Amino acid sequence: MSAAESVPPSASQSLGTEPLILPFERISAADLPRVGGKGANLGEMARAGFPVPPGFCVTTAAFDAFVAGCGELQERYAELEALDGKDVEAARRAAESTRAALGRAPMPPAVADAVLATWRTLGTEASWAVRSSATAEDLPDASFAGQQDTYLNIRGAEALLDAVRRCWVSLFTDRAVLYRSRSGFGHRGVKLSVVVQRMVLPEVSGILFTADPISGRRGTVSIDAGFGLGEALVSGLINADLYKVDKATGELLEVRVGDKALAIRPKSEGGTWEERLPEDVRRARTLDDAALRELVAMGVRIETHYGKPQDIEWCIEAGRLYVVQTRPITSLYPLPEPAPSDEGLHVYASFGHVQMMTDAMPPLAIQVWRLLLPFDRASPGPGDAPGESRSVTTAGSRIFLDLTPMLRHPVLGRGSRGILGHVYENVGQGLDTLSGRPAFQRGASSGRARMRAAGRFIVPIVAGVLARLFFVDPSRLRPGVESFSESRVAGVRARLAAAAPGAARLREARRALWELFSEVIVVVAPNIAVGVLGNRLLVNLVRKGVLGGTEEDLSALERGLPGNVTTEMDLAVGDLTDRVRPYPALAELLRSRPASEVLAAARDVEGGPAFLEAWRAFLERYGMRGPGEVDLSRPRYKDEPAPLIAAIVGGLGPASANRAAGEHRAHHAALAAKAEAASERLISASRRGLFGWLRAGLARRWVRVVRTGMGLREHPKYLLVRVLDVVRDAVREAGALLVQRGSLSAAEDVYLFRFEELIAALEAPQAPDLRPLAGQRRAALQRDARRSPPFVMASDGEIPALAVRADLPPGALSGTAASAGVVEGVARVVLDPAREVLHAGEILVAPHTDPGWTPLFVHAAGLVTEVGGLMTHGSVVAREYGIPAVVSVAGATQRIRTGQRIRVDGTRGFVELLDGGAA
């Protein structure tokens, strides 16, 4: 007889209209609010016919009845909701007082009667597992696994009721309270059901992942297994066996037999005990090939049922396989979408890592880049919608570039891996790993059409680089780029101004974005590429002795570059700081008042009017910039001046009290002078020997080309953010119109929609209600914001691991050497340049830096970032300023704490913690 047939609903099993007890067979995924994540999954599997041991759930209605008997609970909830997730001791105290209060609450008689009545029907002689099942548990985006308690081999009525009570109380374990506080889940809204399940007494048990949780590969099943109950494995008491199986072929990819020193066994009277295993058993395989095949088949069926990779608890009793739990694998990073249309393995690189901005982006900001990048564009969409780049995919609200066609080309593959490895070492290593997989090698090579399309851009760029290396006067490069940029910005501004507000203006903005980079790549890219490639050419020729010079001279060439628009902006921030420093009242105003109030109040203090005049001039030139500026939705300096105010305040600290006005410009000029002196030494050293006149001439030309070209490196992004500023005004205008029509609640929600969705909503005769969809997309964006994106990944989910360096001092943090030199000093961890102040002389430790962060570089003594490569933004600017930098330091903002003394070795690429170790 099934549990559903044996437990009919009755008055004793309900409280009002809500049931106190639900057997598995009456539970579906829709019952999650009643039975929690674990209970909903067990019921879903039981209804689908999977071999789930019988049982029932004590519902959240029973939990509500229990906590209602605790008179102190509202006071305890208020204490819990006040937690910020950072103060561990406060969380421990609040959790302990809540558990104590619940421990004094009585078990509701109606609940006790319902639990015991159902238990008697199912069989009092059996042993039972009693498990907590919270409503915020085993969810698609947060598993909360292990936060509440489980009790095994429960026998007898008194022990059963006691286990149910202890599960309820375990909703407030220290770890559960702290986890919810840190994850943003409210405590009042989380309830607890209790799963009561017939205890399986297994010979073997374990965990099956239908995707490899380490590498991320969706095609690999990973199984951990041990003898006896699974508690020995999940508690870390044994080294379990590890089996990895190819999901498609059934091939056994890896077997690692663990040292299973013990097995947890049930006692006849209830409870468990630890059995020490003999030597021949502890080192024997727990699973033979037949059992593996059955397990893999079961895992695949469960994954297919749920439509996503699963973390499955299983056990084998008397040769029969049982499933006792399944939950989503929430640690896997989402796969790029759209998925490949062919059967081959595809390889993707993170756009955010190269752009030094790895935050999640809303749909409109992502579409902007699909329109901008002119590679591999799809056919035009409905109406006048331009075709978007198929190379731009999305995963976890981040952009990933599909590099597969280029990497599969026999010539372009080698060249692109080399270039990307130079730009970003970790990306290059990851691409080498993934493109070397047999599955990638078996993929179809790039079609001729795609190569011809790529050639439309590659050939002009290569031709432009060669012309600039050997023929074009370097002095013509900067004026040409600036003239081109000014004309394009003026053209876009005129086009959008001529269009009617709303749908027509959005159409024009979309078309302008689509056209922009086709010209930029052909006209501007060679000027940037010649600086980078010319530098590599100089380095190689000097190292091989063809040209004269030293490594120090080569390093000096990258400092004090002429014409870098981002450096000019940073120096202008230094000028603003100089205007504040002589006026203590103005400085105190900037330190003590919110940024939103500072500018209005500055009019009335000494030095304020002159500062405001300089401020307005700064915003006129740079107000469209800001942190995360590649994301259309992010505030600009003119919208949110807090990052600039923080940068100015950082330059007013005690360490800079005696700094002379203009010292920052003098420092930059000194670096430029040293670069010129290094240039002359390179040219002079190249003049020696046979054909010295020719080598010296080439050295002189290439030094000028390199410094000019590298100085222009930021111009394309500056052009882009100026165009985005015009587009952004049109988008925000459309958002305001949609708010007026009642389609959106706030104008900022406009970024949650694509251009065509906004145009359709603006042109609809009756305003559509976009608010529900906006809420869903906002929630998805917030979930994705908590993910850490990989630098590269494959279409089957693999994220390659980096090789561990062997040349590090003990305890040092490994990274990529980005700007030569060694500096010791006090670290300042900055996660948000609008909130944290970097004081002069401190070492900046940040997740990433883009042009919106670089005003901080004026004060920094050194730089450490979690992402970045040799040619990414922060590295280039650090070299220009002459400050030591190490980038790609994994977890730097967690492993280093503010105030800690560290040593940054920008020559060898590591960071040493000098006092007290990592936080």
Side-chain angles (χ1 to χ4, degrees):
M1 182 182 296
S2 73
E5 295 166 337
S6 62
V7 189
S10 67
S12 65
Q13 291 177 314
S14 64
L15 195 65
T17 59
E18 285 297 314
L20 298 173
I21 301 295
L22 280 175
F24 290 166
E25 288 81 356
R26 293 200 185 122
I27 295 171
S28 70
D31 290 305
L32 188 145
R34 291 175 169 178
V35 298
K38 190 180 278 99
N41 282 340
L42 284 168
E44 183 76 15
M45 285 194 296
R47 287 164 63 97
F50 293 109
V52 175
F56 61 93
C57 289
V58 185
T59 68
T60 54
F63 173 77
D64 287 339
F66 171 66
V67 297
C70 177
E72 310 168 48
L73 197 60
Q74 294 310 312
E75 181 181 347
R76 300 281 73 81
Y77 270 134
E79 185 179 6
L80 292 169
E81 297 293 355
L83 297 172
D84 60 6
K86 299 176 182 178
D87 190 334
V88 177
E89 183 58 28
R92 186 197 63 77
R93 290 194 303 269
E96 185 176 32
S97 62
T98 305
R99 293 196 302 272
L102 286 173
R104 295 186 287 270
M107 166 75 78
V111 175
D113 291 345
V115 169
L116 294 180
T118 308
W119 167 69
R120 292 187 183 104
T121 303
L122 291 176
T124 60
E125 297 304 313
S127 297
W128 297 87
V130 181
R131 305 175 186 270
S132 304
S133 179
T135 52
E137 180 178 74
D138 296 347
L139 303 178
D141 301 290
S143 75
F144 287 72
Q147 300 302 315
Q148 288 83 41
D149 289 347
T150 288
Y151 301 96
L152 301 178
N153 201 31
I154 299 300
R155 301 178 67 89
E158 184 177 343
L160 176 60
L161 294 178
D162 182 61
V164 170
R165 168 194 282 276
R166 285 188 287 165
C167 283
W168 283 334
V169 174
S170 76
L171 184 62
F172 301 97
T173 61
D174 294 357
R175 62 185 180 273
V177 165
L178 191 60
Y179 191 92
R180 288 196 296 271
S181 298
R182 287 177 173 171
S183 302
F185 283 82
H187 300 277
R188 295 177 189 270
V190 179
K191 300 181 180 182
L192 195 120
S193 168
V194 179
V195 173
V196 181
Q197 188 173 29
R198 202 270 290 175
M199 182 85 176
V200 175
L201 308 179
E203 296 83 41
V204 178
S205 58
I207 300 171
L208 181 150
F209 298 94
T210 63
D212 190 332
I214 304 302
S215 71
R217 284 195 193 183
R218 301 317 199 260
T220 300
V221 173
S222 180
I223 301 171
D224 293 320
F227 293 114
L229 296 171
E231 294 306 298
L233 188 154
V234 298
S235 302
L237 299 177
I238 62 169
N239 294 319
D241 289 357
L242 172 66
Y243 306 88
K244 293 192 177 183
V245 182
D246 186 286
K247 192 185 295 183
T249 66
E251 177 187 358
L252 187 56
L253 303 174
E254 180 181 353
V255 178
R256 194 183 307 160
V257 179
D259 182 4
K260 302 169 288 296
L262 57 86
I264 294 180
R265 309 288 191 189
K267 294 179 181 178
S268 58
E269 67 276 16
T272 60
W273 64 287
E274 293 182 4
E275 176 191 7
R276 292 285 162 181
L277 298 177
E279 188 70 24
D280 61 331
V281 175
R282 62 192 286 178
R283 297 185 185 278
R285 273 182 59 167
T286 52
L287 296 170
D288 58 22
D289 290 352
L292 282 172
R293 285 193 295 272
E294 185 181 8
L295 266 170
V296 170
M298 178 69 71
V300 170
R301 290 200 301 275
I302 293 174
E303 180 184 73
T304 301
H305 177 78
Y306 283 94
K308 61 186 65 177
Q310 296 289 300
D311 165 1
I312 301 166
E313 296 176 27
W314 56 269
C315 51
I316 299 175
E317 179 188 58
R320 184 177 179 185
L321 174 62
Y322 291 94
V323 178
V324 294
Q325 188 49 263
T326 189
R327 61 179 68 87
I329 307 177
T330 57
S331 61
L332 295 174
Y333 196 81
L335 296 178
E337 295 179 350
S341 57
D342 57 32
E343 297 296 322
L345 187 76
H346 282 233
V347 174
Y348 306 87
S350 166
F351 175 80
H353 280 77
V354 177
Q355 287 296 320
M356 295 293 280
M357 205 294 287
T358 57
D359 298 344
M361 297 167 65
L364 190 65
I366 290 173
Q367 188 187 13
V368 162
W369 284 98
R370 286 199 168 112
L371 291 164
L372 282 168
L373 295 182
F375 310 111
D376 192 24
R377 279 175 165 163
S379 301
D384 60 350
E388 299 174 14
S389 174
R390 291 173 295 192
S391 297
V392 177
T393 65
T394 308
S397 296
R398 275 90 172 178
I399 293 174
F400 285 82
L401 302 179
D402 187 352
L403 304 180
T404 306
M406 184 169 60
L407 292 174
R408 283 188 180 147
H409 191 277
V411 177
L412 290 180
R414 288 193 300 272
S416 58
R417 286 197 299 273
I419 292 171
L420 289 169
H422 175 66
V423 171
Y424 199 128
E425 183 180 8
N426 289 355
V427 171
Q429 290 181 13
L431 293 177
D432 284 341
T433 298
L434 295 180
S435 61
R437 282 181 53 186
F440 182 82
Q441 299 295 334
R442 289 194 297 267
S445 61
S446 301
R448 292 182 179 179
R450 283 188 166 184
M451 286 301 99
R452 282 197 299 269
R456 289 195 300 111
F457 299 103
I458 294 172
V459 171
I461 291 174
V462 172
V465 169
L466 293 175
R468 287 158 177 77
L469 270 178
F470 294 102
F471 305 112
V472 177
D473 181 357
S475 66
R476 292 170 50 194
L477 300 184
R478 182 178 175 186
V481 170
E482 290 178 344
S483 174
F484 172 85
S485 299
E486 292 300 325
S487 67
R488 292 306 175 275
V489 173
V492 172
R493 186 174 287 118
R495 288 171 60 179
L496 267 64
R505 193 164 285 173
L506 287 185
R507 278 197 173 88
E508 200 61 52
R510 184 175 60 180
R511 175 63 59 175
L513 290 170
W514 186 83
E515 294 171 355
L516 181 66
F517 266 26
S518 296
E519 294 181 289
V520 169
I521 286 176
V522 174
V523 176
V524 180
N527 299 293
I528 314 306
V530 76
V532 176
L533 296 178
N535 185 53
R536 294 306 303 164
L537 180 64
L538 274 178
V539 169
N540 289 333
L541 292 178
V542 168
R543 287 175 177 172
K544 292 176 180 178
V546 177
L547 298 179
T550 65
E551 295 283 344
E552 291 76 15
D553 289 338
L554 290 169
S555 179
L557 290 183
E558 298 183 63
R559 296 177 179 171
L561 295 171
N564 186 319
V565 289
T566 299
T567 303
E568 290 171 354
M569 178 184 71
D570 300 342
L571 295 174
V573 175
D575 296 341
L576 290 173
T577 307
D578 284 347
R579 288 185 176 273
V580 176
R581 191 176 289 111
Y583 303 104
L586 181 59
E588 181 57 29
L589 175 66
L590 266 64
R591 288 192 191 96
S592 59
R593 299 281 287 274
S596 58
E597 301 176 7
V598 163
L599 300 179
R603 291 193 298 264
D604 302 322
V605 299
E606 187 181 10
F611 169 75
L612 289 176
E613 184 179 349
W615 178 272
R616 283 190 288 270
F618 179 93
L619 291 185
E620 182 68 26
R621 182 164 173 77
Y622 302 112
M624 79 297 295
R625 308 214 74 167
E629 61 191 13
V630 297
D631 179 347
L632 182 75
S633 71
R634 296 288 283 267
R636 273 38 180 172
Y637 288 145
K638 64 180 182 180
D639 309 312
E640 176 49 79
L644 285 177
I645 300 293
I648 294 170
V649 169
L652 299 174
S656 61
N658 299 320
R659 181 174 289 181
E663 190 172 319
H664 56 290
R665 289 194 177 272
H667 172 69
H668 189 266
L671 291 174
K674 289 179 180 178
E676 290 301 321
S679 301
E680 291 304 319
R681 287 194 296 271
L682 281 167
I683 295 165
S684 178
S686 300
R687 193 174 286 118
R688 302 187 188 108
L690 190 64
F691 297 111
W693 60 272
L694 176 60
R695 292 198 304 275
L698 289 174
R700 181 178 299 278
R701 175 178 183 80
W702 288 339
V703 162
R704 292 178 64 204
V705 166
V706 165
R707 285 186 54 77
T708 303
M710 294 190 73
L712 294 173
R713 181 187 179 279
E714 295 294 321
H715 275 67
K717 183 174 282 187
Y718 186 51
L719 165 60
L720 171 65
V721 296
R722 294 171 72 193
V723 170
L724 288 183
D725 186 50
V726 181
V727 171
R728 193 166 183 271
D729 286 344
V731 167
R732 294 175 70 176
E733 177 185 64
L737 291 173
L738 288 169
V739 170
Q740 291 176 14
R741 299 191 74 192
S743 294
L744 293 177
S745 299
E748 290 298 305
D749 289 346
V750 72
Y751 300 112
L752 297 167
F753 297 89
R754 290 170 53 87
F755 276 108
E756 53 271 22
E757 293 174 315
L758 298 172
I759 291 169
L762 288 164
E763 291 182 334
Q766 190 169 7
D769 187 358
L770 301 177
R771 291 172 297 183
L773 184 55
Q776 295 171 19
R777 291 182 178 177
R778 190 184 310 107
L781 185 64
Q782 291 169 350
R783 289 195 300 269
D784 286 338
R786 296 192 288 267
R787 303 183 193 273
S788 296
F791 44 89
V792 296
M793 68 185 303
S795 55
D796 68 351
E798 181 178 1
I799 299 170
L802 295 176
V804 178
R805 287 174 57 178
D807 61 340
L808 295 177
L813 310 181
S814 174
T816 297
S819 181
V822 178
V823 63
E824 291 184 15
V826 174
R828 172 73 60 176
V829 178
V830 177
L831 302 178
D832 182 350
R835 297 177 180 274
E836 290 123 339
V837 175
L838 177 78
H839 297 286
E842 294 179 328
I843 296 172
L844 172 62
V845 181
H848 48 71
T849 62
D850 65 3
W853 286 68
T854 55
L856 303 178
F857 285 33
V858 175
H859 312 311
L863 173 69
V864 179
T865 64
E866 293 181 330
V867 302
L870 277 177
M871 298 309 298
T872 49
H873 171 82
S875 303
V876 173
V877 177
R879 289 197 294 273
E880 181 171 350
Y881 284 154
I883 61 175
V886 179
V887 299
S888 273
V889 180
T893 59
Q894 288 83 41
R895 301 165 75 182
I896 300 172
R897 62 177 181 268
T898 292
Q900 187 172 21
R901 288 195 63 80
I902 64 175
R903 180 185 296 121
V904 178
D905 191 325
T907 303
R908 293 184 289 173
F910 57 79
V911 180
E912 294 179 272
L913 312 177
L914 302 181
D915 59 352

